[in-house]
Amino acid sequence: KLLFTRIAAKDLPVMDGVAEGGKADPYILFYSDPPEILLTTKTTKSKSSKHEVKSRTIRKTLYPEWKEEIPMWFNVAEPEELVGAHLILKFMDYDWGYHNADDLIGVVILSIADMVKEQEQFGTFSFKKPILRFGQPRGIASGTGRFELDGEGMNRFTMAAKGDKKKCVVS
């Protein structure tokens, strides 16, 4: 299981009009590339299931911080399937109107292999990257997380024990 323990954004653009407070109501959609490797629950293995995870919406802020744990699982048979895989964090602005569609703030792309390598060295992984839309910065995203064992071979990563802590290795 991949578990984000904290995600924050700063300097987001104003997405709501002055009548709505002149801020944004951000949330994050998590996708993977390739899409079929991301699971919303440990048991979601149906081809027709949604392969996205969603954070909660934080109202009226340009500096949101998600302190909740955001879990996700990977459906891979071999660790090599994750070597070129990426996690896509799509920052969205929730529109409260009945007919209004939510607006894209921007996107952050994380290499899953890089996250695993960093955890191998430090016990957790962290990131700090620009949120981009059409190649233009729309704020900065940062966060921390870790890969955890769930007692069932954890996402079929190759596992190794180091002292009392177990870690995931993508080879």
Side-chain angles (χ1 to χ4, degrees):
K1 163 169 82 172
L2 168 60
L3 185 67
F4 281 98
T5 54
R6 184 192 146 283
I7 298 177
K10 66 178 188 175
D11 300 327
L12 293 180
V14 171
M15 301 295 291
D16 297 332
V18 175
E20 291 86 25
K23 305 244 179 186
D25 302 312
Y27 65 91
I28 308 168
L29 293 174
F30 298 82
Y31 297 93
S32 65
D33 180 26
E36 64 276 2
I37 67 169
L38 184 66
L39 300 177
T40 57
T41 69
K42 227 176 11 177
T43 58
T44 306
K45 296 196 179 188
S46 161
K47 294 263 186 207
S48 64
S49 65
K50 282 183 122 179
H51 295 284
E52 71 176 26
V53 176
K54 182 181 178 211
S55 74
R56 68 183 170 84
T57 300
I58 300 177
R59 296 189 68 182
K60 298 183 180 183
T61 183
L62 302 178
Y63 296 85
E65 185 171 2
W66 292 268
K67 295 179 183 176
E68 67 201 78
E69 292 188 341
I70 303 171
M72 54 200 77
W73 290 262
F74 295 109
N75 183 30
V76 295
E78 300 295 328
E80 292 79 23
E81 293 179 59
L82 292 174
V83 170
H86 292 85
L87 195 61
I88 300 152
L89 283 65
K90 190 173 176 183
F91 288 80
M92 301 292 295
D93 176 56
Y94 185 84
D95 280 334
W96 298 94
Y98 180 70
H99 292 292
N100 296 340
D102 294 351
D103 299 314
L104 175 66
I105 297 171
V107 174
V108 170
I109 300 174
L110 304 172
S111 163
I112 293 172
D114 288 349
M115 292 187 301
V116 170
K117 286 176 190 171
E118 185 174 338
Q119 173 160 325
E120 187 177 53
Q121 286 182 314
F122 304 109
T124 60
F125 65 83
S126 62
F127 69 91
K128 184 175 183 180
K129 293 191 171 236
I131 300 168
L132 300 174
R133 182 167 180 210
F134 301 120
Q136 299 298 311
R138 309 260 297 174
I140 301 288
S142 62
T144 57
R146 65 185 177 272
F147 290 91
E148 290 185 345
L149 294 172
D150 64 6
E152 296 179 10
M154 203 286 241
N155 308 327
R156 301 183 198 142
F157 282 110
T158 303
M159 294 296 154
K162 186 174 190 176
D164 289 339
K165 295 184 179 179
K166 292 185 178 177
K167 63 179 180 174
C168 308
V169 179
V170 175
S171 44

